Every structure is written in C-alpha cells, then in structure tokens.
C-alpha cells in the first residue's frame, strides 16, 4: 500500500539548500581552523593584537559550529516530519481498508 504523500520539487530544493548550507559552513570551519593554526604559528602579530585575533577566530569557530548544528537539526527535523506524515498516511490507509475509518 503506497502512501499518498507527495513531496514537491520546491520542498526538495529547500532540503538541498539546508544540506548545501551545512557543507558551506563546514568549509568555513576548515578555513577558520587554518587561520587559527597560521595565527598561532605567526610571529608577525604579538601581544594583545594576537590575543584578540585568537579570541575572534575562536568565537567565529564556535558560532560556525553552532550554525552547523542548527542547520543539521533543521534538516533532520524536516526529514522526520516527512517520515511521520508517510507513517500516518499508511495508518489511515490501513484503517480505511479495514473499514475502521471513513474518508
């Protein structure tokens, strides 16, 4: 028995956007890590300037990780919602077939 749930092209495109955002944020995290590593090895910056830059990159890294987590959870929430809709549709279809429910 097939579910009657139809997923629009627009909805799939939105899912793709969420995954793309997670991927792009992952790339940004790699760049932030590289910048942090270069800064730690750097001798051009010293003292307070170096400390402030390290704090900036550390905060940027943490905020980017938070965004990755949020976008990942949004994607998982959307997928779970579709799975739930399909399961509910199948329950309804079985109930209709048995005569336990009316459409």
């Amino acid at each position: 028995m097939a579910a009657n749930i139809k997923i629009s092209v627009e909805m799939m495109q939105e899912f793709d956007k969420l995954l793309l955002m997670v991927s792009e944020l992952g790339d940004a995290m790699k760049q932030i890590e590289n910048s942090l590593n270069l800064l730690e090895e750097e001798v051009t910056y010293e003292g307070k300037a170096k400390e402030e830059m390290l704090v900036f990159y550390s905060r940027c890294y943490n905020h980017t990780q938070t965004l990755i987590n949020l976008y990942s959870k949004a994607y998982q929430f959307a997928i779970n919602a579709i799975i739930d809709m399909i399961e509910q549709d199948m329950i309804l279809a079985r109930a209709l077939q048995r005569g336990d429910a009316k459409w």
Side-chain angles (χ1 to χ4, degrees), residues 2 30 50 61 63 96:
K30 289 176 189 167
K50 187 172 185 174
Y61 181 90
H63 291 309
L96 287 169

Side-chain angles (χ1 to χ4, degrees), residues 11-35:
M11 188 180 292
M12 294 303 295
Q13 289 171 341
E14 292 302 316
F15 292 161
D16 287 344
K17 286 179 188 177
L18 286 172
L19 288 178
L20 179 62
M21 184 59 70
V22 170
S23 174
E24 289 176 355
L25 286 168
D27 292 342
M29 284 205 44
K30 289 176 189 167
Q31 292 175 0
I32 294 166
E33 284 182 86
N34 289 339
S35 296

Side-chain angles (χ1 to χ4, degrees), residues 18-64:
L18 286 172
L19 288 178
L20 179 62
M21 184 59 70
V22 170
S23 174
E24 289 176 355
L25 286 168
D27 292 342
M29 284 205 44
K30 289 176 189 167
Q31 292 175 0
I32 294 166
E33 284 182 86
N34 289 339
S35 296
L36 264 170
N37 292 336
L38 289 173
L39 184 60
E40 288 172 349
E41 297 169 0
E42 184 71 41
V43 291
T44 306
Y45 299 101
E46 293 180 2
K48 187 167 175 88
K50 187 172 185 174
E51 286 176 32
E52 288 177 357
M53 290 176 76
L54 285 170
V55 167
F56 168 78
Y57 281 116
S58 294
R59 287 181 179 164
C60 190
Y61 181 90
N62 290 335
H63 291 309
T64 304

Side-chain angles (χ1 to χ4, degrees), residues 3-16 75 78-86:
N4 294 320
I5 303 296
K6 295 180 182 171
I7 301 171
S8 69
V9 171
E10 293 83 10
M11 188 180 292
M12 294 303 295
Q13 289 171 341
E14 292 302 316
F15 292 161
D16 287 344
Y75 176 79
I79 295 299
N80 288 344
I82 289 173
I83 290 169
D84 287 345
M85 285 189 294
I86 291 169

